[in-house]
Amino acid sequence: MRNFLIAILVAAPALAQMPVITPLPTGATLAPNPSATKFTFVVAGDNRPAHRSDPITQPMQDIATKLAATPPAFVMWDGDLVFGKEAVKIGGEYTDVIELLKKVPVPVFNAPGNHELVVQTNIPCGTKSDPWNAEVPDYSGAMASIYATAVGPAYGMFRYGNAAFIMVNTDDVPDVAL
């Protein structure tokens, strides 16, 4: 218990410095409801299409339909909203997903995954030359820039009720060279 309390006390100043993350631009806004001590939220993610040419997956459509029918306080998506991997094509993929999620009447927050912020290489997947599953960070920063424009900040925190929620992007490192 003592270690947990110390961790909270140490983390509190860092939390104050954390930027506020905004929900996907679906039109839903978050009312922080500071007096809430009991609430329901949903965590989902990695429901992207298997191939670039595939439509939005049926599981993702089903999740959106169920969230619309029985809305929680908010939704946290843990990335891989889209097939991604190519800066020249990803913008349209975001448009399609955001349009689907507009039927969800509550805010949807996303922490981008590798399909939002890394690029696919020409190295065959699963070979000895493929130590990172044929993916590398987009060192140009193009994927992160497109994400920020289409979706919002890649990391941050928001408050709801008596809690703070932190969403962290772990795939974007444009300032690191190979």
Side-chain angles (χ1 to χ4, degrees):
M1 178 66 172
R2 187 178 328 179
N3 290 343
F4 178 71
L5 181 58
I6 290 170
I8 289 174
L9 293 174
V10 170
L15 189 61
Q17 301 296 319
M18 178 76 63
V20 174
I21 194 165
T22 56
L24 297 177
T26 61
T29 58
L30 182 70
N33 198 3
S35 62
T37 58
K38 292 182 180 183
F39 50 89
T40 300
F41 63 96
V42 171
V43 178
D46 203 3
N47 299 102
R48 64 172 177 76
H51 304 96
R52 175 167 318 289
S53 59
D54 291 349
I56 293 174
T57 64
Q58 191 60 52
M60 188 165 192
Q61 292 178 44
D62 293 346
I63 291 169
T65 299
K66 290 188 188 267
L67 290 171
T70 311
F74 56 87
V75 178
M76 296 173 68
W77 213 271
D78 64 4
D80 292 354
L81 287 166
V82 295
F83 179 79
K85 302 293 188 177
E86 292 183 55
V88 296
K89 298 178 181 173
I90 199 168
E93 294 178 60
Y94 289 133
T95 301
D96 294 345
V97 170
I98 289 168
E99 191 60 35
L100 170 69
L101 293 174
K102 282 183 178 179
K103 68 179 176 180
V104 178
V106 298
V108 179
F109 297 88
N110 184 62
N114 64 315
H115 280 261
E116 284 99 344
L117 297 177
V118 301
V119 294
Q120 196 156 11
T121 68
N122 293 325
I123 301 169
C125 186
T127 64
K128 287 184 181 181
S129 300
D130 173 26
W132 299 289
N133 196 22
E135 299 176 342
V136 295
D138 176 19
Y139 296 112
S140 74
M143 298 286 281
S145 178
I146 294 166
Y147 181 87
T149 300
V151 178
Y155 70 95
M157 61 85 62
F158 66 95
R159 294 181 186 275
Y160 186 86
N162 62 345
F165 297 86
I166 299 172
M167 301 205 57
V168 181
N169 154 25
T170 61
D171 279 303
D172 177 38
V173 288
D175 57 340
V176 178
L178 288 175

